[in-house]
């Protein structure tokens, strides 16, 4: 994942504004996906240290992004004897000693704590308690950022001493553009955007797994060509053949049908432009009411399979019910 992408991240923008206007605090908790934590923390350090509050262009930025800025410290410290990705008291002790020393390159020091893996286990309160005092009485030019997936996992005493910033979902258009810049084809970029629910790490997972594109093409064909119970067999067979990854097929059926709604109602959320003709032809078969009813049926089928109802029965009923609903809710 490249750094440029997070330039438009809501946390980076909010921090940049706060530091520019002098309305910043010293300690922040960032709520974000685990896969984004390291890069997002780097951006936070950059906003603090860069004279332009994160321009991604100056010497300071280059040093921060290449990991060579001497006033940026990452914790947990991977260099310590025990190589672990969990915060320990030793990490906090290091921070407390280091914050007493003068900065080397400028007049500020930044500590980046990736605590995504540090909120479980028996000793989880220890490192947090050790950190409390410095959060309460922060050194003037010392900045601490703590990244977690869910701030509720931190001690309330930590949260009350920090400002909490939450990472928002990435917009569809930004994800498509990002993936295209990474060299994805238009189709793959659109597919990944469709299935990732605003999460870049999830989008990259979809890109890496070529079976998603195959599944999407199969689902689109099935929705287009299954017009009545007379020709429903291929659709039933498709789901039977994918018993092991039927959740993927369910997810794609729902996502494609929701795209037909967006195509009709919210163009800004329509991402499958490479399949526009197919989507049009599915629109012609499924009214808006039918789409909503079918997504409910898929959800129910998923629950039934999860609670061990016979797979074949669930699939047969699902396809029959979909066709029934499609017929009943005709346009
Ligand atoms: Zn800069």
């Amino acid at each position: 994942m490249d750094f440029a992408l997070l330039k438009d991240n809501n946390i980076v923008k909010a921090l940049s504004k706060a530091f520019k206007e002098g309305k910043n605090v010293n300690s922040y908790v960032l709520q974000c996906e685990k896969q984004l934590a390291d890069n997002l923390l780097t951006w936070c350090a950059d906003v603090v240290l860069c004279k332009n509050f994160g321009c991604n262009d100056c010497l300071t930025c280059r040093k921060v992004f290449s990991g060579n800025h001497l006033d940026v410290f990452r914790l947990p410290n991977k260099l310590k004897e025990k190589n672990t990705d969990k915060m320990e008291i030793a990490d906090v002790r290091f921070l407390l000693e280091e914050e007493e020393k003068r900065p080397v390159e400028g007049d500020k020091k930044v500590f980046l704590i990736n605590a995504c893996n540090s909120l479980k286990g028996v000793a989880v309160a220890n490192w947090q308690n050790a950190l409390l005092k410095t959060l309460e009485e922060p050194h003037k030019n010392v900045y601490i950022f703590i990244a977690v997936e869910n701030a509720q996992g931190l001690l309330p005493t930590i949260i009350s001493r920090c400002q909490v910033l939450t990472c928002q979902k990435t917009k569809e258009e930004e994800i498509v553009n990002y993936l295209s810049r990474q060299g994805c084809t238009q189709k793959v970029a659109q597919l990944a955007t469709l299935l990732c629910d605003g999460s870049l790490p999830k989008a990259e997972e979809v890109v890496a797994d070529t079976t998603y594109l195959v599944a999407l093409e199969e689902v689109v064909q099935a929705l287009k060509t299954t017009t009545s119970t007379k020709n429903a067999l291929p659709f039933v067979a498709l789901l039977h053949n994918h018993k092991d990854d039927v959740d993927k097929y369910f997810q794609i059926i729902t996502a494609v049908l929701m795209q037909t709604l967006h195509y009709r109602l919210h163009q800004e959320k329509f991402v499958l432009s490479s399949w526009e003709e197919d989507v049009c032809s599915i629109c012609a078969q499924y009214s808006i009411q039918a789409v909503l009813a079918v997504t409910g049926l898929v959800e129910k089928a998923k629950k039934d399979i999860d609670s061990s109802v016979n797979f074949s029965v669930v699939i047969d009923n699902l396809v029959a019910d979909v066709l029934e609903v499609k017929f009943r809710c005709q346009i």
Side-chain angles (χ1 to χ4, degrees):
M1 201 169 292
D2 63 12
F3 284 112
L5 177 77
L6 288 175
K7 193 171 169 54
D8 289 328
N9 178 277
N10 67 296
I11 290 183
V12 175
K13 278 187 170 171
L15 271 182
S16 186
K17 186 167 182 287
F19 275 82
K20 202 179 283 177
E21 294 172 355
K23 291 179 180 164
N24 58 285
V25 296
N26 288 70
S27 311
Y28 289 89
V29 166
L30 317 174
Q31 281 195 114
C32 64
E33 288 178 277
K34 194 186 270 192
Q35 297 92 328
L36 289 183
D38 280 330
N39 282 0
L40 199 53
L41 285 167
T42 307
W43 262 106
C44 294
D46 191 54
V47 168
V48 174
L49 296 170
C50 164
K51 293 235 163 4
N52 306 309
F53 311 100
C55 66
N56 196 15
D57 203 27
C58 66
L59 179 63
T60 303
C61 285
R62 279 198 289 280
K63 280 187 174 177
V64 172
F65 288 125
S66 62
N68 293 320
H69 198 290
L70 297 173
D71 296 321
V72 177
F73 300 88
R74 289 184 175 275
L75 299 172
N77 189 344
K78 297 259 164 60
L79 295 177
K80 64 190 176 188
E81 277 175 34
K82 213 171 84 197
N83 193 359
T84 164
D85 59 358
K86 285 192 169 51
M87 282 293 289
E88 293 173 344
I89 290 205
D91 293 300
V92 179
R93 211 171 284 141
F94 168 81
L95 183 155
L96 298 178
E97 281 167 21
E98 197 56 50
E99 72 175 352
E100 298 297 336
K101 301 178 195 162
R102 293 173 62 84
V104 180
E105 304 210 20
D107 56 358
K108 300 182 186 108
K109 278 193 166 189
V110 186
F111 293 90
L112 305 176
I113 302 178
N114 184 342
C116 291
N117 294 323
S118 306
L119 301 183
K120 287 200 181 93
V122 280
V124 61
N126 295 357
W127 69 268
Q128 297 184 60
N129 281 326
L131 199 57
L132 280 182
K133 198 167 158 39
T134 189
L135 293 179
E136 204 164 48
E137 294 164 13
H139 285 43
K140 187 166 166 281
N141 286 326
V142 169
Y143 299 88
I144 299 175
F145 295 89
I146 307 169
V148 289
E149 285 187 287
N150 183 356
Q152 296 304 317
L154 289 164
L155 297 180
T157 41
I158 292 272
I159 296 175
S160 66
R161 287 163 174 80
C162 298
Q163 189 170 327
V164 180
L165 299 174
T166 303
C167 193
Q168 286 167 359
K169 288 179 181 178
T170 311
K171 289 195 187 77
E172 283 90 353
E173 196 189 340
E174 284 172 28
I175 298 179
V176 171
N177 291 342
Y178 167 69
L179 294 174
S180 302
R181 280 203 309 276
Q182 299 292 102
C184 289
T185 63
Q186 197 65 6
K187 275 192 164 183
V188 170
Q190 291 175 2
L191 164 73
T193 305
L194 175 72
L195 299 179
C196 75
D197 191 27
S199 154
L200 286 166
K202 265 191 222 151
E204 293 193 321
E205 273 175 39
V206 173
V207 169
D209 181 347
T210 53
T211 64
Y212 278 103
L213 186 58
V214 176
L216 179 80
E217 299 281 10
E218 287 172 337
V219 164
V220 164
Q221 277 310 309
L223 289 173
K224 260 172 65 178
T225 56
T226 312
T227 51
S228 72
T229 40
K230 284 190 199 115
N231 56 17
L233 255 181
F235 196 1
V236 175
L238 175 69
L239 297 175
H240 274 282
N241 291 340
H242 290 281
K243 188 173 177 180
D244 293 338
D245 54 352
V246 77
D247 277 356
K248 179 189 285 178
Y249 281 77
F250 284 169
Q251 183 197 2
I252 294 175
I253 291 170
T254 301
V256 169
L257 286 172
M258 289 309 289
Q259 280 289 294
T260 69
L261 283 196
H262 296 327
Y263 185 69
R264 285 175 271 206
L265 304 171
H266 320 105
Q267 273 286 331
E268 74 284 0
K269 285 183 176 291
F270 177 66
V271 293
L272 289 184
S273 58
S274 298
W275 287 271
E276 187 170 352
E277 263 182 47
D278 300 306
V279 169
C280 278
S281 114
I282 298 169
C283 281
Q285 290 196 54
Y286 288 82
S287 66
I288 290 173
Q289 288 79 1
V291 166
L292 296 173
V294 171
T295 55
L297 291 171
V298 172
E299 188 63 28
K300 184 179 175 300
K302 187 171 150 34
K303 278 194 191 130
D304 286 347
I305 290 170
D306 289 345
S307 46
S308 306
V309 179
N310 179 282
F311 181 80
S312 300
V313 173
V314 174
I315 296 302
D316 292 353
N317 286 344
L318 172 64
V319 176
D321 290 348
V322 166
L323 291 168
E324 156 79 21
V325 157
K326 183 160 95 78
F327 180 73
R328 202 159 26 86
C329 307
Q330 276 179 23
I331 300 163

